[in-house]
Amino acid sequence: MWTDEQPRTRWVDPAAFRYRRPDLRLGAREPRPDRAGPAVDDRLTVRHTVRTSTADYTLLLNAPAWLGRRGVGDALRDAVAELRAIDLTYGPNRPESLVSRLRRGEISPESYPPLADLVDRCSAMRAATDGWFDAWAVPGGFDPGGLLGGWAVERAAARLRAAGVQDYAVLTGADLVVRGHAGHGGPWRVAVHHPTDRRRPPLMLEMTAGAIGTSGVTGRRGHVVDPHTGEPADQMVAATVVGPNLAVADAYATALYAAGPSGLNWFRSGSDYRALIANHH
């Protein structure tokens, strides 16, 4: 559920951005922060990119001046350490990771609380998507890859908040998490470009808390498996979901990519998550 301040996400008329440059861009263009505008005087703005074996992450921090450069540096190092630790400890492609050991039956989820949390989230999303997100219905056994990246980002973001940084954005691929305000003092301005049709104007969002998760823009056909048939999913070209938590948004996007248009039913009845882009063949 949404737990942060209002407003959290607001759809904006693109014309309103004519004289206001977006802070972040996702989609058809390379996902990246845009050129920064003027910063508020009492803030420290930092941008840092880190690469793990599976993903690149860009962290944008808009920290209070009282935290100091040492404090901001400590917060950044802590968040980066969390991203690296998750890559090493939970990566499904690492033979000695906890996920690989769980597959082989060497450990149970209860052996490590974060692993239990990861398994529980996968189980919850399997139920929420009528089985279209199923971390157990993939070749080789349990594979949380459909939400692992979002889970990692959310845990890194929690490290930032614990260190006193309440205004930040974290981007990875076509996904992002934001909280608070950008360096100019207003909500984060996000341009979400259509992942396959460059002629379409981008969706414009103003966000103070939330996440955007995308499946289907990697260029790798067959990277999502239909859990009911075991065959590569091919109904959708791309799926993008916005909501409070990136792990959940990622899982929904993966499931929607597999299920096709029927998956749009998950986002009705007052859901906190919404499909931004559901482009099918």
Side-chain angles (χ1 to χ4, degrees):
M1 297 294 291
W2 289 108
T3 59
D4 296 299
E5 69 280 4
Q6 297 278 0
R8 296 167 292 251
T9 299
R10 185 169 71 93
W11 276 253
V12 180
D13 183 343
F17 274 69
R18 187 171 301 167
Y19 304 108
R20 293 184 294 168
R21 184 182 298 275
D23 304 302
L24 309 167
R25 295 180 184 271
L26 292 181
R29 301 182 184 185
E30 183 68 19
R32 60 177 174 84
D34 218 320
R35 288 180 294 178
V40 178
D41 291 338
D42 62 347
R43 312 295 290 181
L44 296 173
T45 57
V46 176
R47 174 183 174 183
H48 181 77
T49 299
V50 57
R51 174 171 294 177
T52 70
S53 68
T54 56
D56 293 345
Y57 302 90
T58 297
L59 298 88
L60 299 173
L61 279 57
N62 177 32
W66 59 260
L67 195 58
R69 295 196 175 276
R70 181 184 295 274
V72 174
D74 289 344
L76 182 61
R77 281 189 291 273
D78 203 19
V80 168
E82 183 72 8
L83 293 171
R84 293 194 183 281
I86 290 174
D87 176 56
L88 290 170
T89 308
Y90 299 94
N93 296 325
R94 294 182 178 274
E96 296 308 314
S97 74
L98 295 182
V99 168
S100 295
R101 294 180 62 195
L102 181 65
R103 282 177 176 170
R104 296 193 296 265
E106 298 173 2
I107 59 174
S108 69
E110 292 73 25
S111 302
Y112 301 89
L115 179 62
D117 177 60
L118 182 61
V119 171
D120 287 347
R121 287 173 181 265
C122 289
S123 180
M125 292 310 301
R126 180 169 59 182
T129 61
D130 305 316
W132 283 100
F133 177 90
D134 192 342
W136 291 267
V138 292
F142 177 70
D143 185 342
L147 62 70
L148 183 62
W151 187 71
V153 169
E154 291 289 355
R155 289 178 64 88
R159 295 293 188 105
L160 293 175
R161 294 194 298 274
V165 179
Q166 301 295 324
D167 302 89
Y168 56 78
V170 184
L171 296 85
T172 177
D175 300 346
L176 64 76
V177 164
V178 299
R179 182 177 172 120
H181 297 86
H184 49 68
W188 294 93
R189 300 192 289 257
V190 184
V192 183
H193 294 264
H194 193 278
T196 59
D197 188 350
R198 294 175 181 268
R199 296 170 298 177
R200 296 191 189 184
L203 296 171
M204 297 296 189
L205 309 179
E206 288 186 340
M207 303 178 69
T208 57
I212 300 173
T214 299
S215 183
V217 296
T218 62
R220 294 185 294 112
R221 291 187 60 82
H223 74 290
V224 175
V225 173
D226 181 333
H228 302 293
T229 65
E231 298 297 323
D234 61 2
Q235 291 200 60
M236 304 287 284
V237 176
T240 300
V241 174
V242 63
N245 182 280
L246 183 55
V248 176
D250 267 348
Y252 267 130
T254 300
L256 181 58
Y257 184 91
S262 64
L264 294 173
N265 292 325
W266 304 325
F267 307 102
R268 296 171 183 165
S269 302
S271 172
D272 278 334
Y273 292 83
R274 176 173 175 180
L276 288 183
I277 296 170
N279 191 34
H280 56 88
H281 293 288

